[in-house]
Amino acid sequence: MKSSAISLHHRHGEQDFLINLIDSPGHVDFSSEVSTAVRLCDGAIVVVDAVEGVCPQTQAVLRQAWLENIKPVLVINKIDRLIVELKLTPQEAYRQLQQILQQVNAVTGTLFTSKVLEERAEKDREVGEEPGEELGEEPGEEPGEAAGEQVYDWSAGLEQVDDSNLYFSPDQGNVVFASAVDGWGFSVQQFALIYSQRMGIRKEVLLKTLWGDFYLDARARRIMKGAQARGKKPLFVQLVLDNIWSLYDAVVTRRDQQKVEKVVSSLGVKVLPRDSRHSDPKVLLHAILSQWLPVSQAVLSMVCEKLPSPLDMTPERVERLMSVGSRQFDSLPEETQALKRAFLQCSSGGDVPTIVFVSKMVAVDAKALPQNRPRPLTQQQLAQRRELARKRHAERMAADGPGESTPPGGQPASLSTDQMEALTLTDSKLEDEEEQKEVFIAFARVYSGTVKKGDRVFVLGPKYDPAQGLSTLPEGCRPTDDPPEVPHLSCCSLDCLYLLMGRELVELDEVPAGNVLGIRGLEECVQKSATLSTSPACSPFIPLNFEATPIVRVAIEPKHPGEMPKLVQGMRLLNQADPCAEVLILETGEHVLVTAGEVHLQRCLDDLRDRFAKIEISVSKPIIPFRETVVRPPKVDMVNEELGKQQKVAIIHQVKDEGSQGRLSDTLQVDPNGLVTLTTPNRLATVSIRAIPLPKEVTDLLESSTELIRTLEQLNMSLREGKRLEVSLRTLESIAGLKTQLESLLQGRKWRNAVERIWSFGPRRYGPNILLNSVEGYQRPSVWQCLSKADLTGEAGPHCASLRDFDNSIVSGFQLATLSGPMCEEPLMGVCFSVERWDIQASTLPPHQESLEEDSLAQEAFPNSQGEASTEMCSHMEDPSPELCQTRSRQEPAPAARYGQVSGQLIAAVKEACRQAFQAQPQRLMAAMYTCEIMATADVLGRVYGVLGKREGRVLHDEMKEGTDMFVIKAILPVAESFGFADEIRKRTSGLASPQLVFSHWEVISSDPYWVPTTEEEYLHFGEKADSANQALKYMNAVRRRKGLYVEEKIVEHAEKQRTLSKNK
């Protein structure tokens, strides 16, 4: 289940072509392999099943090809299933093929439309014409009577763009119909050429009419339009499909020997007697069709005619590849922009810089390398080995017993042939054991220049800045010059170059531009992917776009504890060899493997056991990720009875009282509205925080904008440090767009001016939770300060210096609280924490003054920890006493000791206040959900629904595929219930249904994990114990049990005294 490459020489017409073909797996769990392959290619062959049609993976592949700006062609495969399995007529098969083309073109059209609209929106922003301005109407005017009666038409941009070459159509030559298992495939051009010679019709006319609503009028001997309206057989059915169907009928169905011989003679193909006499008719069919319509000829000819060569790379693709993160191509240094010409020329000359991109690292057995491959021995080598074995045997015999093995002549004793072979085999086994290890080969493509064996190149990390590199390195610096250290830049040598031929590797001395190759010697410099270049001006390529999200986690440990170093080394190798797998070490010390799905997980575990670690391992049950959130108080109870206001308050009080047991009431206060007020243990600071659920649209927006929020945080950090930044206009527009979207989604009195008051995002400063500044009188710099031109020049705005030091403590406490929630220590999602009060209790300073002074004198190791805190308190007092300020002025804190005991207690207080505010609201778990697409026949539809219902799945819709008895069911399924789902559904349906699971979204589990019956109706419905299944409680307790947290459950509910035979009481 990995991508494999092969280089093919193909002669098409009068020209020779070298085709680098990369085959990638089709399972959705391995879409990361497609991502690594797409980056290295100029075109893509998209293979679609003629029965199943467009699947989720087909959409993912088309989207990846679109994002990488490469041209796709289409192969509709498995047409033999329409004939043999579904037993469709040629007319029905034609309709099925039409529908598949429409589905594929619909996906392509959606991608095209989104791109055009995005470009038009950018153009409008540049001109300054906002769409919202055109929609504005003066009050009192009738709709449509606004100024100029301008109505914003989203389709206007689509009509001006040429999309004639965008879609798949057989008459354009970018579609091949095939059956790979039977060895045949064809394009419309092949049959147009055949029938133009037979029927005397021009080839150009047949090309336009073979596919479409055309038919052949036998009387007029003309091709007419309107086959469907007149009930005529389409030309494609009459001239193409009827012939293939009749051949299958004669060979497979009826086995008509006379007709087969007639067909063979008319087609002019040669069939071996062995094939014609074979008991399996498919062998004879393959022999006939593979000579008449060879699938390799059809596909490779389409590739040569329709897909671009490396010389035809578009400037847009080059600019996109070199625009990393927030940097735009226009903002890159001039030397970097000049490299665009090297990309477009794709020259192999010695004067152009070498540019190579490594998309992934492939683990190869050392024995598979060309230099280690076993070769047949010559007679001379055999004689040398025989002599060496004879000497070793003589030495061994001499060591065992002196004088016994050597005859009087002094020659060693003669050995039999069997003994010699045994000795030679033993020696070769020892050599094999020494060489038995994994070697990493870089899977790469040369974009410019020529790569030679032994060359030294720069390895550009993903965060490498060419402007910084050019300013640090001397002018004209080469990798061979031993350059000075530059961040994210290193040098390495290319030990060996290989031509990739499937499983075989062919050693090369040099590889010119435009080719795919394997490179050995980069395992110490490249983790997963990297950019190599001989010029430090080259920009690193943008990261690969992975469709699959790694979400399935397992903890791994060796069965024998002494083999832990082998496991660590094996997981490091696995992390490097798999582009999508992630290896983590948790705080608990667990080694966790994160994969994209169940099939991907099984493949990774097999590789770990058999190839990388080579030890026995113990694997935990899958670690399912959850999220914690809060929701609005429910309006109805569990039996759909309306709740009164008192009842609602009672529920909140109940949760609050349970959560606050064992805590001091003098430091923690919770009011009925959910506002939590908490004072630090030293009574110096007090915070009041309220938890508010974010709207679902806002949560989804923050979840999809993590990279943009991370860039925003980096910009703010640079501004706080006083650094001057050059930010691309596109990045600023994206940030401004995010702010505008948040303002449009956060409407109402509760969210008034909320976007400007955002303090931070979390967890990790870019998550889907918000910290809101609602403190009266505290004006802090906005997180959107990078949007103002004054801030980008490095000028500091009006900052509240007095609260600046502890401002970071509030943010740190918020980050800790959102990273692990109170329910089961899982991250929070969709929660807004509003800080409504944050003050320093000045009234508590005088009683503590003497103790603080004594502590500062007694603890010489921390002389400034208490003094700094008191100085801060003094600055906040409205009328501080002169004596106190003079005492504190003698203890000026050092800059490094700015954060003292107050800061640490404030972080803990904010974290605890956030958790208490969270618990004061109705809490819910959020589960990760898969989108599940299942194809099944009508006979097993009920069993499929049964399996989905048993696993908490929910069917969204089902529809019957036109022309077949197959149903397509689309459902959503919790990731927690997905393990073993595919196997169970295949067993229950006897293999007639197969699911495809793709991670979709996070969804709130509606049931309350802390629910207990409170009303009379609930007691009557659920009973006093209310011990019916609570899905959220089951998930929560499972996570708490795995993490070693307290789980409130009864181990034994009903017990009896043990009765034994000896004492029956």
Side-chain angles (χ1 to χ4, degrees):
M1 303 295 273
K2 293 179 182 292
S3 296
S4 59
I6 190 169
S7 296
L8 305 172
H9 172 257
H10 178 64
R11 187 170 184 81
H12 180 63
E14 298 297 324
Q15 287 183 304
D16 290 340
F17 289 88
L18 176 64
I19 301 175
N20 293 297
L21 187 65
I22 304 175
D23 180 29
S24 56
H27 197 280
V28 289
D29 282 4
F30 300 97
S31 59
S32 59
E33 295 286 342
V34 180
S35 301
T36 58
V38 162
R39 172 59 61 85
L40 306 182
C41 298
D42 298 300
I45 303 172
V46 181
V47 184
V48 179
D49 192 318
V51 176
E52 296 183 2
V54 175
C55 301
Q57 179 65 356
T58 313
Q59 299 177 13
V61 168
L62 287 170
R63 187 162 52 250
Q64 286 171 312
W66 182 269
L67 290 174
E68 289 289 342
N69 202 13
I70 69 173
K71 186 177 181 180
V73 292
L74 184 66
V75 175
I76 301 180
N77 193 26
K78 300 185 182 180
I79 295 182
D80 60 291
R81 293 183 64 191
L82 302 177
I83 309 171
V84 180
E85 291 182 20
L86 301 183
K87 301 189 185 308
L88 301 183
T89 64
Q91 187 80 22
E92 293 169 343
Y94 174 68
R95 283 200 296 268
Q96 172 79 357
L97 296 175
Q98 275 186 320
Q99 287 173 6
I100 291 174
L101 274 173
Q102 290 171 4
Q103 292 170 2
V104 177
N105 286 331
V107 176
T108 308
T110 304
L111 296 169
F112 171 72
T113 304
S114 63
K115 180 188 176 184
V116 171
L117 296 182
E118 185 179 335
E119 289 177 352
R120 188 174 177 216
E122 287 183 6
K123 187 177 179 181
D124 287 344
R125 279 200 297 268
E126 292 174 3
V127 176
E129 297 175 0
E130 291 295 329
E133 295 174 4
E134 298 181 2
L135 291 172
E137 295 178 358
E138 293 295 327
E141 287 186 332
E142 292 294 325
E145 294 183 359
E149 294 189 359
Q150 292 183 352
V151 178
Y152 193 76
D153 183 13
W154 287 106
S155 63
L158 298 174
E159 295 173 357
Q160 302 168 4
V161 181
D162 180 24
D163 60 347
S164 57
N165 297 321
L166 179 71
Y167 299 107
F168 299 102
S169 179
D171 56 3
Q172 290 186 8
N174 57 2
V175 179
V176 163
F177 305 94
S179 170
V181 71
D182 289 337
W184 61 269
F186 65 89
S187 62
V188 169
Q189 281 81 350
Q190 289 176 259
F191 277 94
L193 182 62
I194 293 171
Y195 284 108
S196 66
Q197 298 169 354
R198 288 188 182 182
M199 301 171 62
I201 303 175
R202 285 187 299 128
K203 181 184 174 183
E204 292 76 13
V205 175
L206 283 172
L207 272 176
K208 294 180 180 179
T209 57
L210 257 180
W211 181 267
D213 192 26
F214 299 94
Y215 71 98
L216 182 64
D217 191 342
R219 293 180 182 178
R221 297 182 61 83
R222 292 178 59 189
I223 296 174
M224 310 290 287
K225 194 172 183 180
Q228 185 176 1
R230 298 180 184 178
K232 300 289 186 178
K233 191 180 288 187
L235 206 60
F236 187 77
V237 175
Q238 186 176 356
L239 299 183
V240 180
L241 296 185
D242 278 349
N243 292 322
I244 296 173
W245 256 247
S246 62
L247 186 57
Y248 268 84
D249 180 63
V251 177
V252 178
T253 309
R254 293 193 291 124
R255 302 196 183 189
D256 189 342
Q257 190 64 30
Q258 293 180 352
K259 189 172 182 179
V260 169
E261 291 176 358
K262 186 178 178 181
V263 169
V264 168
S265 61
S266 65
L267 293 177
V269 298
K270 295 180 180 179
V271 179
L272 297 175
R274 179 187 61 189
D275 295 335
S276 59
R277 290 194 301 266
H278 203 283
S279 59
D280 186 3
K282 281 294 191 92
V283 175
L284 176 59
L285 184 72
H286 188 280
I288 297 171
L289 285 171
S290 62
Q291 294 181 64
W292 179 37
L293 302 170
V295 63
S296 57
Q297 187 74 23
V299 174
L300 293 179
S301 298
M302 178 176 64
V303 167
C304 296
E305 292 174 3
K306 295 299 174 183
L307 295 186
S309 75
L311 292 170
D312 301 327
M313 181 179 285
T314 59
E316 293 81 9
R317 188 183 180 198
V318 176
E319 293 181 6
R320 187 177 178 278
L321 286 175
M322 301 179 72
S323 302
V324 183
S326 59
R327 294 196 295 268
Q328 201 171 359
F329 183 77
D330 298 337
S331 65
L332 294 171
E334 293 182 1
E335 296 89 338
T336 305
Q337 296 185 38
L339 293 176
K340 178 180 175 180
R341 191 181 303 109
F343 274 94
L344 298 176
Q345 291 176 349
C346 195
S347 173
S348 303
D351 56 339
V352 296
T354 301
I355 302 173
V356 180
F357 180 74
V358 177
S359 67
K360 68 171 183 174
M361 302 294 288
V362 182
V364 177
D365 194 346
K367 292 187 289 186
L369 297 177
Q371 55 266 35
N372 298 336
R373 194 176 300 136
R375 299 180 181 86
L377 298 176
T378 62
Q379 291 294 329
Q380 185 179 1
Q381 290 173 329
L382 284 172
Q384 290 175 353
R385 288 201 173 195
R386 196 175 292 117
E387 185 64 28
L388 183 62
R390 188 177 287 114
K391 286 181 180 179
R392 286 181 180 173
H393 178 70
E395 291 171 0
R396 198 176 294 120
M397 295 296 289
D400 292 343
E404 295 180 6
S405 61
T406 307
Q411 295 295 327
S414 60
L415 298 173
S416 65
T417 307
D418 294 341
Q419 290 174 323
M420 289 296 304
E421 289 179 356
L423 288 171
T424 308
L425 286 172
T426 305
D427 294 339
S428 62
K429 283 180 181 178
L430 291 173
E431 292 175 5
D432 288 346
E433 288 176 2
E434 292 175 359
E435 295 177 357
Q436 192 175 10
K437 61 178 182 178
E438 297 291 334
V439 177
F440 280 97
I441 304 295
F443 194 46
R445 171 182 167 175
V446 185
Y447 283 89
S448 172
T450 301
V451 179
K452 297 181 180 179
K453 182 178 178 180
D455 279 356
R456 282 186 65 81
V457 293
F458 291 115
V459 181
L460 314 177
K463 296 182 180 179
Y464 171 70
D465 185 1
Q468 184 181 6
L470 290 171
S471 62
T472 306
L473 296 173
E475 188 175 352
C477 179
R478 308 288 294 176
T480 54
D481 298 340
D482 193 15
E485 288 189 7
V486 178
H488 310 291
L489 180 73
S490 59
C491 296
C492 72
S493 297
L494 310 181
D495 295 345
C496 294
L497 307 179
Y498 298 108
L499 179 68
L500 303 171
M501 299 293 293
R503 292 184 179 180
E504 302 292 326
L505 297 173
V506 180
E507 195 165 0
L508 301 173
D509 291 328
E510 62 179 34
V511 179
N515 285 286
V516 175
L517 78 158
I519 306 173
R520 184 184 173 190
L522 300 179
E523 56 265 22
E524 298 299 329
C525 306
V526 179
Q527 178 64 20
K528 289 180 182 282
S529 64
T531 308
L532 313 178
S533 178
T534 54
S535 169
C538 182
S539 172
F541 284 19
I542 60 173
L544 295 170
N545 177 46
F546 292 129
E547 288 286 326
T549 307
I551 197 168
V552 180
R553 303 181 173 211
V554 291
I556 301 176
E557 62 181 17
K559 285 198 172 180
H560 307 291
E563 294 177 331
M564 178 60 80
K566 290 184 179 179
L567 176 67
V568 173
Q569 175 68 7
M571 293 187 76
R572 187 186 68 81
L573 296 176
L574 175 65
N575 183 47
Q576 191 170 9
D578 196 298
C580 191
E582 297 177 5
V583 174
L584 308 173
I585 300 179
L586 301 184
E587 297 175 354
T588 57
E590 289 178 300
H591 290 75
V592 173
L593 176 65
V594 192
T595 58
E598 194 175 1
V599 180
H600 186 210
L601 170 65
Q602 193 58 47
R603 210 280 316 273
C604 289
L605 293 177
D606 290 343
D607 284 349
L608 193 61
R609 287 192 192 96
D610 303 334
R611 298 183 61 186
F612 300 127
K614 296 180 181 177
I615 59 171
E616 294 183 6
I617 57 176
S618 298
V619 183
S620 71
K621 290 183 179 180
I623 302 171
I624 311 300
F626 289 95
R627 296 289 183 266
E628 302 180 22
T629 189
V630 294
V631 296
R632 291 181 178 179
K635 296 181 180 178
V636 295
D637 60 11
M638 293 292 287
V639 289
N640 291 331
E641 294 286 337
E642 188 174 355
L643 288 169
K645 188 173 182 181
Q646 290 91 0
Q647 182 63 33
K648 224 185 295 186
V649 172
I651 291 178
I652 295 174
H653 270 271
Q654 181 182 3
V655 175
K656 180 196 70 176
D657 294 342
E658 290 177 358
S660 61
Q661 283 179 357
R663 289 181 173 83
L664 299 178
S665 59
D666 56 343
T667 59
L668 175 66
Q669 296 176 355
V670 184
D671 72 356
N673 294 322
L675 181 66
V676 174
T677 304
L678 196 140
T679 306
T680 56
N682 58 10
R683 305 294 198 280
L684 296 180
T686 302
V687 288
S688 296
I689 296 177
R690 186 192 307 275
I692 309 168
L694 285 174
K696 184 179 183 299
E697 296 80 10
V698 176
T699 307
D700 294 340
L701 176 62
L702 296 178
E703 184 76 9
S704 60
S705 307
T706 51
E707 289 298 326
L708 190 60
I709 297 173
R710 188 182 301 182
T711 304
L712 175 65
E713 178 62 29
Q714 291 172 353
L715 294 177
N716 289 333
M717 191 176 298
S718 300
L719 289 173
R720 285 195 294 268
E721 294 172 358
K723 294 181 180 178
R724 183 182 178 86
L725 285 178
E726 292 183 2
V727 188
S728 68
L729 184 62
R730 181 177 299 178
T731 302
L732 292 177
E733 288 177 353
S734 301
I735 294 173
L738 174 64
K739 181 182 178 183
T740 305
Q741 285 180 286
L742 285 173
E743 287 173 344
S744 64
L745 293 173
L746 292 174
Q747 296 289 341
R749 182 177 57 84
K750 181 173 61 174
W751 301 107
R752 185 176 301 159
N753 202 25
V755 178
E756 288 293 341
R757 293 186 286 116
I758 292 178
W759 200 327
S760 178
F761 300 93
R764 300 184 180 91
R765 295 182 182 269
Y766 57 85
N769 302 284
I770 291 177
L771 180 65
L772 213 58
N773 176 21
S774 301
V775 182
E776 292 185 9
Y778 178 37
Q779 298 294 328
R780 69 180 306 279
S782 170
V783 294
W784 315 103
Q785 59 180 326
C786 62
L787 296 178
S788 62
K789 294 182 180 179
D791 286 325
L792 286 175
T793 59
E795 299 174 8
H799 300 319
C800 295
S802 57
L803 295 180
R804 183 74 177 189
D805 291 337
F806 295 112
D807 180 280
N808 201 27
S809 301
I810 300 286
V811 175
S812 299
F814 164 72
Q815 301 296 338
L816 291 172
T818 52
L819 191 59
S820 59
M823 297 174 70
C824 51
E825 302 294 336
E826 289 288 304
L828 303 189
M829 188 173 186
V831 184
C832 172
F833 289 105
S834 175
V835 182
E836 301 190 359
R837 177 188 170 196
W838 173 34
D839 53 16
I840 306 301
Q841 298 294 338
S843 59
T844 60
L845 278 175
H848 289 271
Q849 181 179 347
E850 291 185 16
S851 62
L852 289 175
E853 289 180 357
E854 291 173 1
D855 290 345
S856 63
L857 293 173
Q859 299 177 2
E860 295 180 359
F862 306 98
N864 296 324
S865 61
Q866 303 289 348
E868 190 275 343
S870 300
T871 306
E872 292 290 338
M873 304 315 119
C874 183
S875 65
H876 285 77
M877 294 168 59
E878 295 182 359
D879 188 16
S881 62
E883 294 82 8
L884 180 60
C885 288
Q886 289 174 6
T887 305
R888 291 294 156 241
S889 64
R890 292 194 299 267
Q891 300 181 11
E892 288 293 333
R898 184 172 294 175
Y899 292 98
Q901 184 180 2
V902 176
S903 175
Q905 291 194 4
L906 187 57
I907 292 174
V910 171
K911 176 187 175 184
E912 186 61 29
C914 288
R915 291 171 73 97
Q916 291 297 323
F918 183 91
Q919 290 178 303
Q921 302 293 333
Q923 308 166 66
R924 295 291 185 271
L925 268 184
M926 297 183 76
M929 306 298 287
Y930 276 139
T931 298
C932 174
E933 191 166 295
I934 306 171
M935 290 193 65
T937 59
D939 304 336
V940 297
L941 212 55
R943 300 177 196 171
V944 171
Y945 286 161
V947 176
L948 282 170
K950 173 185 170 186
R951 291 177 173 265
E952 306 293 333
R954 190 168 72 250
V955 177
L956 299 178
H957 64 82
D958 57 353
E959 58 182 10
M960 190 174 185
K961 293 200 73 169
E962 191 175 343
T964 68
D965 62 343
M966 303 290 288
F967 280 83
V968 179
I969 305 159
K970 194 164 186 180
I972 57 175
L973 183 76
V975 174
E977 303 289 343
S978 66
F979 299 98
F981 172 72
D983 291 338
E984 183 179 0
I985 210 164
R986 288 193 193 101
K987 288 175 185 175
R988 293 288 301 275
T989 60
S990 303
L992 296 177
S994 56
Q996 285 190 317
L997 302 174
V998 182
F999 176 72
S1000 173
H1001 64 284
W1002 294 90
E1003 187 173 285
V1004 177
I1005 302 173
S1006 58
S1007 56
D1008 182 2
Y1010 296 106
W1011 176 81
V1012 290
T1014 53
T1015 64
E1016 186 178 351
E1017 289 81 3
E1018 288 176 345
Y1019 273 109
L1020 290 173
H1021 189 275
F1022 295 100
E1024 187 176 349
K1025 294 171 62 177
D1027 53 359
S1028 57
N1030 185 333
Q1031 199 67 18
L1033 181 62
K1034 185 183 84 172
Y1035 291 150
M1036 187 182 76
N1037 285 344
V1039 176
R1040 293 184 69 90
R1041 197 176 292 110
R1042 177 177 59 80
K1043 294 184 176 182
L1045 304 173
Y1046 172 70
V1047 178
E1048 186 176 350
E1049 61 180 353
K1050 291 183 179 179
I1051 307 298
V1052 178
E1053 291 194 7
H1054 307 287
E1056 293 181 357
K1057 185 178 179 181
Q1058 183 179 4
R1059 297 175 183 271
T1060 60
L1061 294 176
S1062 60
K1063 195 172 184 181
N1064 191 9
K1065 288 187 178 180

